[in-house]
Amino acid sequence: MSQSLNVELAHMPSLLSLYRKIFFGRKPGWDEKPLPLIQVRVANADLSAAQLTQYAKVCGFNFDGDTLPPTYLYVLAFRLHAVIFTHNSMTFPLLGMIHLKNSIQSFRTVKAHEKVSLECALTSSELKDAGLEFELVSKVYVGTELVWQASSTYLYRIESAGRRARPPRAGDMSWDNAKVWVLSDDLGRQYAKASGDYNLIHLHPLLSKRFGFERVLAHGMWSKARCLAEVMPIIGARGFSVEVEFKLPVFMPSEVSFAFEENDTGLVFELRDLKGRRPHIQGHVSYLD
């Protein structure tokens, strides 16, 4: 049976201090025991207007100074994820994990002046062919009202597990009018300043090489946010759910292409390489009304 643990925080934690534990701490690896069910809570967190403005700019949102970009709350929730990742009961390091997919439900728009309370829980884990998959569920409240919820599925890769997955294939949507985005080599540093997420593999090639990557990787949640920013004029203020699967990593500097198609329940979108052949992100939006 999994151990249940509850952590109550007096204030939002600093990712810088948590990343010191993540990058320079030593964890032996998964001990093949069930993961603990850890829940972390923090109440009445203030939102920074300056950080919101910076985040909206780097992700491409049209920020009116009041309404939060829907993915911004994930920036706050990830701090609680990091508390879970660095908990003494977790025996494997963050650097051994891959973010497979993420879903967000935005029940209503959240305003910059509102105080938010967050809770995040490691809810389940399962051994798959590629390794150990586990899910973190995050919730955001204004007062007692649930305004936002997200689910992230992570993979801790186990070398001896199963066969390798086949390379992902792009969907069948038309790519004739895809937009092209140019990603600069300092995009990772811009996103770090805006989000507070200073993961070294996203900052500089000399740092990413130390952790086994030849080039700097774009942050997966930047990629999702940038895609969502492109379709927010269509979504508007209605409640919606957006789900993505992270396929191939995006390296920087590079050029990528983006397209979407509307359907009866919302829309589908993809982020691909410049030629439109290899998918980086595949996602869909569903309206909640």
Side-chain angles (χ1 to χ4, degrees), residues 166-203:
R166 294 180 180 178
R169 299 177 60 182
D172 57 3
M173 74 171 66
S174 171
W175 215 250
D176 295 337
N177 298 310
K179 292 189 175 183
V180 174
W181 299 334
V182 179
L183 311 187
S184 64
D185 59 358
D186 68 340
L187 175 61
R189 295 188 291 278
Q190 292 180 44
Y191 184 78
K193 290 178 182 178
S195 66
D197 188 348
Y198 283 86
N199 188 330
L200 299 182
I201 65 173
H202 303 306
L203 299 182

Side-chain angles (χ1 to χ4, degrees), residues 26 45 48 59 132 153 168:
R26 293 291 180 264
S48 165
C59 296
L132 182 68
T153 301

